[in-house]
Amino acid sequence: TDTEDALREIETFFPQATTSPALLVDAGSRMAPMIGITAETYAYAAKALGPIKAAIAVATISLKLDTIENPGGYLRRMAPKKT
């Protein structure tokens, strides 16, 4: 599944990331700038999606970088707008 692929992608860079939720969240925040997502955009996504889903979203985007022109914009579109 996409989620399993995303978790494997995170483990490529952070081998222990999937051993605990805290490590997964930390890995997502560290992976985001590696693929061109600002800390501000990642924080927005973490608030809107929840920190675990945001980390998985970053890894999913990482897997699709060859087809995504603006990773930060893509992540913002994945996050629901807060009213």
Side-chain angles (χ1 to χ4, degrees), residues 38-83:
T38 66
E40 178 187 2
T41 297
Y42 184 78
Y44 172 85
K47 185 175 181 181
L49 297 170
I52 292 173
K53 287 182 181 178
I56 293 169
V58 166
T60 300
I61 292 167
S62 176
L63 288 168
K64 300 176 180 184
L65 279 178
D66 58 337
T67 63
I68 295 174
E69 198 169 309
N70 180 345
Y74 194 91
L75 181 60
R76 279 195 178 267
R77 286 189 302 277
M78 291 175 78
K81 294 195 185 322
K82 296 290 182 181
T83 56

Side-chain angles (χ1 to χ4, degrees), residues 14-35:
F14 306 100
Q16 300 298 315
T18 59
T19 62
S20 81
L23 289 174
L24 179 61
V25 170
D26 180 61
S29 68
R30 292 171 45 201
M31 186 178 211
M34 293 169 55
I35 64 170

